[in-house]
Amino acid sequence: MNSEIEPPTTPVGQFYESYFDQAAEVSRLLNIKLTKKTWSGQRIHMCGFPLMHLNKYLKMLVQEHSRFVAMCEEFPRNPALGAKGGFDRRVVRIVTPGTLIDEPFLNPYENNYLLSVVPASTELSLREWPPSFSVGLAWIDVSTGEFYTKSTTLAGLRDELVRVSPKEVILDARFSEDDSNPVRRAASEEGCFVSYSTPPETPSALADSTATTQASPDDVTADAELLDGLLPVPLAGEETAAVELLTAFMHANLMDHMPSLSSPAREVTCGRMQIDTHTVKALELREGMREGGTTGSLLSVIKRTVTSSGTRLLTRWLCSPSTSVSEINARQSLVAFFYTRPFLRQDLVQVLRESDDATRIVQKFLLGRGSFSDLSALCTTVETWSSIKERILTERKMEGEGDSLADAQWTSVEALMDRMSDLSDLAARISMALAQREDAIRIGDEMGEELPSSEPSPAQLRDPRNPLGLVEWTIKPEYSQQLMRLHDTLQTLLSDRDKLEQRLQAEYNVPSLTLRASPGQGMHVHIGRKREAAKLRDAKDFVPLSESGSTCTLFNREWSRLAGQISETTLAISTAEKEAFEQLRAEVVARSSDLRRNARIIDELDVTLSFADLAVEMRFVRPTVTDGTSYHVVNGRHPTVELGLLTSGRGFTPNTVTFTPDSPLHVITGPNMAGKSTLLRQTALIAILAQTGSFVPADHAEIGVVDRVFSRVGAKDDLFRDRSTFMVEMLEAGDILRRATPRSLVIMDEVGRGTTVEDGLAIAFATVHHLLSVNGCRAMFATHFHELADMLGHDPATHRGEGPFSPIAFFCTDVDEIENGDFTYSHRLSPGVNRDSHGLKVAQLAGMPGPAVSVARSALAWLKERSAQRVGRGVELHALGQSLAFDSP
Ligand code: ADP
């Protein structure tokens, strides 16, 4: 259990209260009043807040202060068991950041994952854990039921932590005492909220069955085979252990709310592009660096999804693009299909907007929660699914068959629709049952077709005559014979009441007489004009109850009996409605696999529709993705920078990048601010977008599948972890050189900048040398060490390296001089090496005082002259480069 405090929040009447020391802590965290109360003769601290503010304060404690909150509920004592009344209180659940179920503060656009990490063996001493040591992962989103496992290595753990982005990480309690534990360090250095749990001594049934029956595909896995690279194979031992640790933690905290779990889907590394932790952050895939949150991120720029679950899928795809050409093509075909059909796209997006988050609703029902409004939302959602299918069918009919090109385009969308289960019977059943549903929008409405208006329900939803007040029925009477009978009885009783009222008014000639009920006086007869009451005073059927200035109330046996029958019938209807709800809940639960699968397919539809919208809006093209190792992007653009420039009325300069097996490595030189870093990032982003299934910002693109994207860009100080900028740079560069494969894409910006010129140049050369001779990957290396070009044997005629460095191509960016000595950045990439950093121009532009600039200018002139006198330095460097190249293994 976490060592954080766990304020027990206990309802006492209309308040949740906290006592003792925890009250002081809770009142401080929530900024609510701390008071004292006498208990067993002592004055103790207490604080509390009204029940209705629970969610607001839970959010503060759990999400803002990362505290665990033990929720106590009160249960009336059962007199049948000899109890004398009052309440028992017990903890029903401990709310933690990773175990949220349906709290309104759950972010609908993000998964709320709880992730456990278990190394293959805890027997070995820490020093014996090599980077290749296996580590099991299991993660679940309690709010949606999505449940996965994966086996990775200690070295790959950080990348997984960043990709999954869990809200809480569970580790073995034994790790809590040892802060040098590498798993624990990885989690805390990646900024994860860490909790500890004790693994169960006897393996849970689930973990057991998971290991052996994984081949029985659950809904997710069945889809996953086609869509997500998840395969039904037995779990590795460390994955089973991770599932056990995860479920032990869930049992201990969710308690009464523990969901019944289906088998997890197993993720395998092959099939997914690996994006390492620095790259997810440096490329600002999910979160922007400057403004925090999603602002400025790739996600925020490309997001056109209209459902929350579609957005969650988009985020998952973006951080885990595919490496399967057929899967990428399948997604692209859908995008291409919608791209060319704007009206269909508009209609489908319109319908999608009406749908709700079925995955989360189904999970609520599986957890024994959910309300009538959830049922109604689910029904509307299932209806939107049917509308989507219908609309697609109509399109098919309108287009007609026989055109082989068009028929081929239809294959992917038809395959997607075919995988959807028909749940219209479930929707019809819920719709027939629910009394207060607004009819879901159907496409016909938009197209101006006449749709039959729904029949008004014969049931009186609100009946002011009911002595129990305004009762709103939630289930239609025709749902069951029993409800029908009860509603008939109620109607008869209510008309008996009207007749009785009229009869009494006439019999005693008291027109202001009405039959009423109130909590204080029970069933009574109300006389609006007191003087009329005199006529009833001696009537044997009436007993005076009370009087006010102008009115009086009396008791009447006949009304009292009739009203009793009305309330009994009303209560019977409420009970029958609750039973009906339970029945409907059970029907939803029985179809939960189908519901989830459909929801997942619709998510995919939402994402591919959104990609089509994006492609139209931002002029993206369909890339050709191949199994080769080329990369040819004509006039590529950086989507985020382009959008930023557009909003300030400026244009983006597109650039062409071509890597081939003969020329996999580019060295880029150029002044600061001339667009090197933007070019590097856009090169990686275009590959990521392409493998997500999206079109890309370019005029033309052909991309050989990238297995891993690595980046070393944007040096950021890491003083928190006691590492200098240079140290971070070297750690990241070292990691890349160890891990990049011939299928990887590497972007490196200014490696070697954080040290002396000699050190820096030596490191930059060694890095390029290693990338070319050992990794053999596609790489873009931006540098301001133009001497590097000499070492690599830059040939001014071909702008290629010499000898073993001939696969290296040199490109540069530059500034355009304009008349009065001013200059502009062209941001255009051209072959060559730029030996002028224009540093002084930038300093001048940045507002460095004139005298300082002129001193710098004199110094630079002297330095340049000196180096010009040292003829042959370039030649020496060239010779050094060649000798090192031949020396190397
Ligand atoms: P460098 O890495 O060479 O210092 P950056 O890539 O950081 O340069 O670019 C600096 C700024 O120049 C960017 O913030 C952007 O506003 C602008 N920029 C970069 N590339 C382009 C381009 N291709 N077209 C237009 N503006 C660009």
Side-chain angles (χ1 to χ4, degrees), residues 641 645 650-655 671-679 749 827:
V641 174
L645 289 174
R650 288 180 294 159
F652 187 90
T653 312
N655 278 307
N672 278 324
M673 292 292 290
K676 296 184 301 299
S677 150
T678 305
L679 176 75
D749 196 5
H827 303 296

mmCIF file of all heavy atoms in Angstrom, residues 641 645 650-655 671-679 749 827, ligand 1:
data_model
loop_
_atom_site.group_PDB
_atom_site.id
_atom_site.type_symbol
_atom_site.label_atom_id
_atom_site.label_comp_id
_atom_site.label_asym_id
_atom_site.label_seq_id
_atom_site.Cartn_x
_atom_site.Cartn_y
_atom_site.Cartn_z
ATOM 1 N N VAL A 641 4.670 23.658 -37.284
ATOM 2 C CA VAL A 641 5.307 24.952 -37.594
ATOM 3 C C VAL A 641 4.509 25.654 -38.692
ATOM 4 O O VAL A 641 4.264 26.868 -38.634
ATOM 5 C CB VAL A 641 6.784 24.754 -38.009
ATOM 6 C CG1 VAL A 641 7.393 26.059 -38.474
ATOM 7 C CG2 VAL A 641 7.584 24.176 -36.853
ATOM 8 N N LEU A 645 2.910 29.361 -38.479
ATOM 9 C CA LEU A 645 3.258 30.449 -39.400
ATOM 10 C C LEU A 645 2.005 30.992 -40.084
ATOM 11 O O LEU A 645 1.840 32.202 -40.237
ATOM 12 C CB LEU A 645 4.242 29.942 -40.457
ATOM 13 C CG LEU A 645 5.662 29.652 -39.961
ATOM 14 C CD1 LEU A 645 6.496 29.019 -41.063
ATOM 15 C CD2 LEU A 645 6.348 30.929 -39.470
ATOM 16 N N ARG A 650 2.265 34.010 -42.361
ATOM 17 C CA ARG A 650 3.495 33.725 -43.102
ATOM 18 C C ARG A 650 3.420 32.349 -43.746
ATOM 19 O O ARG A 650 2.639 31.501 -43.317
ATOM 20 C CB ARG A 650 4.695 33.797 -42.152
ATOM 21 C CG ARG A 650 5.003 35.242 -41.754
ATOM 22 C CD ARG A 650 6.170 35.313 -40.825
ATOM 23 N NE ARG A 650 5.876 34.692 -39.548
ATOM 24 C CZ ARG A 650 6.811 34.262 -38.707
ATOM 25 N NH1 ARG A 650 8.076 34.359 -39.024
ATOM 26 N NH2 ARG A 650 6.477 33.740 -37.550
ATOM 27 N N GLY A 651 4.239 32.152 -44.757
ATOM 28 C CA GLY A 651 4.193 30.871 -45.471
ATOM 29 C C GLY A 651 5.325 29.960 -45.029
ATOM 30 O O GLY A 651 6.344 30.425 -44.510
ATOM 31 N N PHE A 652 5.152 28.676 -45.236
ATOM 32 C CA PHE A 652 6.173 27.702 -44.883
ATOM 33 C C PHE A 652 6.923 27.299 -46.157
ATOM 34 O O PHE A 652 6.300 27.063 -47.187
ATOM 35 C CB PHE A 652 5.513 26.482 -44.240
ATOM 36 C CG PHE A 652 6.490 25.496 -43.690
ATOM 37 C CD1 PHE A 652 6.926 25.593 -42.375
ATOM 38 C CD2 PHE A 652 6.992 24.474 -44.494
ATOM 39 C CE1 PHE A 652 7.853 24.688 -41.870
ATOM 40 C CE2 PHE A 652 7.924 23.577 -43.986
ATOM 41 C CZ PHE A 652 8.351 23.686 -42.671
ATOM 42 N N THR A 653 8.245 27.211 -46.087
ATOM 43 C CA THR A 653 9.019 26.789 -47.255
ATOM 44 C C THR A 653 9.165 25.273 -47.237
ATOM 45 O O THR A 653 9.799 24.732 -46.334
ATOM 46 C CB THR A 653 10.432 27.413 -47.214
ATOM 47 O OG1 THR A 653 10.283 28.801 -46.941
ATOM 48 C CG2 THR A 653 11.171 27.191 -48.511
ATOM 49 N N PRO A 654 8.578 24.582 -48.212
ATOM 50 C CA PRO A 654 8.686 23.125 -48.208
ATOM 51 C C PRO A 654 10.074 22.675 -48.647
ATOM 52 O O PRO A 654 10.770 23.423 -49.345
ATOM 53 C CB PRO A 654 7.626 22.680 -49.210
ATOM 54 C CG PRO A 654 7.306 23.864 -50.033
ATOM 55 C CD PRO A 654 7.763 25.096 -49.314
ATOM 56 N N ASN A 655 10.482 21.509 -48.247
ATOM 57 C CA ASN A 655 11.788 20.968 -48.633
ATOM 58 C C ASN A 655 11.688 19.498 -49.007
ATOM 59 O O ASN A 655 10.838 18.782 -48.480
ATOM 60 C CB ASN A 655 12.786 21.136 -47.486
ATOM 61 C CG ASN A 655 13.382 22.530 -47.473
ATOM 62 O OD1 ASN A 655 13.914 23.000 -48.476
ATOM 63 N ND2 ASN A 655 13.236 23.220 -46.350
ATOM 64 N N PRO A 671 23.213 28.418 -40.783
ATOM 65 C CA PRO A 671 23.161 29.313 -39.633
ATOM 66 C C PRO A 671 22.008 28.977 -38.693
ATOM 67 O O PRO A 671 21.070 28.281 -39.078
ATOM 68 C CB PRO A 671 22.960 30.690 -40.264
ATOM 69 C CG PRO A 671 22.455 30.429 -41.627
ATOM 70 C CD PRO A 671 22.890 29.073 -42.034
ATOM 71 N N ASN A 672 22.112 29.520 -37.500
ATOM 72 C CA ASN A 672 21.003 29.363 -36.552
ATOM 73 C C ASN A 672 19.744 29.957 -37.141
ATOM 74 O O ASN A 672 19.808 30.910 -37.909
ATOM 75 C CB ASN A 672 21.318 30.143 -35.267
ATOM 76 C CG ASN A 672 22.207 29.329 -34.373
ATOM 77 O OD1 ASN A 672 22.073 28.114 -34.305
ATOM 78 N ND2 ASN A 672 23.145 29.997 -33.711
ATOM 79 N N MET A 673 18.644 29.407 -36.756
ATOM 80 C CA MET A 673 17.333 29.935 -37.141
ATOM 81 C C MET A 673 16.987 29.721 -38.610
ATOM 82 O O MET A 673 16.002 30.249 -39.091
ATOM 83 C CB MET A 673 17.226 31.451 -36.861
ATOM 84 C CG MET A 673 17.212 31.814 -35.398
ATOM 85 S SD MET A 673 15.689 31.238 -34.640
ATOM 86 C CE MET A 673 14.487 32.335 -35.370
ATOM 87 N N ALA A 674 17.838 28.967 -39.335
ATOM 88 C CA ALA A 674 17.557 28.835 -40.760
ATOM 89 C C ALA A 674 16.717 27.605 -41.075
ATOM 90 O O ALA A 674 16.524 27.278 -42.238
ATOM 91 C CB ALA A 674 18.862 28.821 -41.537
ATOM 92 N N GLY A 675 16.256 26.914 -40.047
ATOM 93 C CA GLY A 675 15.290 25.846 -40.292
ATOM 94 C C GLY A 675 15.834 24.438 -40.232
ATOM 95 O O GLY A 675 15.157 23.497 -40.645
ATOM 96 N N LYS A 676 17.057 24.246 -39.667
ATOM 97 C CA LYS A 676 17.616 22.891 -39.623
ATOM 98 C C LYS A 676 16.786 21.989 -38.730
ATOM 99 O O LYS A 676 16.388 20.896 -39.117
ATOM 100 C CB LYS A 676 19.058 22.915 -39.079
ATOM 101 C CG LYS A 676 20.037 23.669 -39.939
ATOM 102 C CD LYS A 676 21.455 23.561 -39.394
ATOM 103 C CE LYS A 676 21.645 24.093 -37.989
ATOM 104 N NZ LYS A 676 21.346 25.501 -37.789
ATOM 105 N N SER A 677 16.527 22.482 -37.549
ATOM 106 C CA SER A 677 15.830 21.646 -36.578
ATOM 107 C C SER A 677 14.398 21.339 -37.039
ATOM 108 O O SER A 677 13.905 20.214 -36.879
ATOM 109 C CB SER A 677 15.886 22.374 -35.240
ATOM 110 O OG SER A 677 14.805 22.074 -34.485
ATOM 111 N N THR A 678 13.782 22.316 -37.692
ATOM 112 C CA THR A 678 12.428 22.088 -38.218
ATOM 113 C C THR A 678 12.457 20.980 -39.264
ATOM 114 O O THR A 678 11.597 20.095 -39.288
ATOM 115 C CB THR A 678 11.888 23.399 -38.828
ATOM 116 O OG1 THR A 678 11.964 24.408 -37.835
ATOM 117 C CG2 THR A 678 10.471 23.252 -39.323
ATOM 118 N N LEU A 679 13.479 21.009 -40.123
ATOM 119 C CA LEU A 679 13.592 20.011 -41.182
ATOM 120 C C LEU A 679 13.778 18.608 -40.587
ATOM 121 O O LEU A 679 13.162 17.636 -41.023
ATOM 122 C CB LEU A 679 14.785 20.360 -42.079
ATOM 123 C CG LEU A 679 15.058 19.340 -43.168
ATOM 124 C CD1 LEU A 679 14.031 19.477 -44.284
ATOM 125 C CD2 LEU A 679 16.458 19.476 -43.723
ATOM 126 N N ASP A 749 20.605 16.651 -33.790
ATOM 127 C CA ASP A 749 20.832 18.077 -33.973
ATOM 128 C C ASP A 749 21.957 18.542 -33.057
ATOM 129 O O ASP A 749 21.856 18.398 -31.838
ATOM 130 C CB ASP A 749 19.524 18.817 -33.634
ATOM 131 C CG ASP A 749 19.533 20.234 -34.161
ATOM 132 O OD1 ASP A 749 20.500 20.591 -34.851
ATOM 133 O OD2 ASP A 749 18.572 20.974 -33.890
ATOM 134 N N HIS A 827 15.099 29.388 -45.573
ATOM 135 C CA HIS A 827 14.635 28.083 -45.084
ATOM 136 C C HIS A 827 14.657 27.015 -46.172
ATOM 137 O O HIS A 827 14.016 25.996 -46.026
ATOM 138 C CB HIS A 827 13.230 28.169 -44.492
ATOM 139 C CG HIS A 827 13.105 29.159 -43.377
ATOM 140 N ND1 HIS A 827 13.770 29.022 -42.193
ATOM 141 C CD2 HIS A 827 12.401 30.310 -43.270
ATOM 142 C CE1 HIS A 827 13.498 30.043 -41.398
ATOM 143 N NE2 HIS A 827 12.653 30.843 -42.022
HETATM 144 P P1 ADP B 1 17.612 26.128 -36.679
HETATM 145 O O1 ADP B 1 17.467 24.739 -36.171
HETATM 146 O O2 ADP B 1 18.384 26.175 -37.966
HETATM 147 O O3 ADP B 1 18.180 27.076 -35.684
HETATM 148 P P2 ADP B 1 14.749 26.206 -36.620
HETATM 149 O O4 ADP B 1 14.382 24.971 -37.335
HETATM 150 O O5 ADP B 1 14.655 26.209 -35.143
HETATM 151 O O6 ADP B 1 16.191 26.695 -37.068
HETATM 152 O O7 ADP B 1 13.839 27.338 -37.239
HETATM 153 C C1 ADP B 1 13.708 28.607 -36.668
HETATM 154 C C2 ADP B 1 12.391 29.234 -37.089
HETATM 155 O O8 ADP B 1 12.381 29.428 -38.474
HETATM 156 C C3 ADP B 1 11.195 28.340 -36.806
HETATM 157 O O9 ADP B 1 10.682 28.575 -35.542
HETATM 158 C C4 ADP B 1 10.212 28.740 -37.872
HETATM 159 O O10 ADP B 1 9.427 29.831 -37.456
HETATM 160 C C5 ADP B 1 11.081 29.184 -39.003
HETATM 161 N N1 ADP B 1 11.173 28.111 -40.016
HETATM 162 C C6 ADP B 1 11.895 26.990 -39.926
HETATM 163 N N2 ADP B 1 11.755 26.240 -41.041
HETATM 164 C C7 ADP B 1 10.961 26.936 -41.869
HETATM 165 C C8 ADP B 1 10.470 26.712 -43.199
HETATM 166 N N3 ADP B 1 10.795 25.600 -43.878
HETATM 167 N N4 ADP B 1 9.651 27.646 -43.728
HETATM 168 C C9 ADP B 1 9.348 28.753 -43.056
HETATM 169 N N5 ADP B 1 9.783 29.027 -41.805
HETATM 170 C C10 ADP B 1 10.591 28.142 -41.212
#
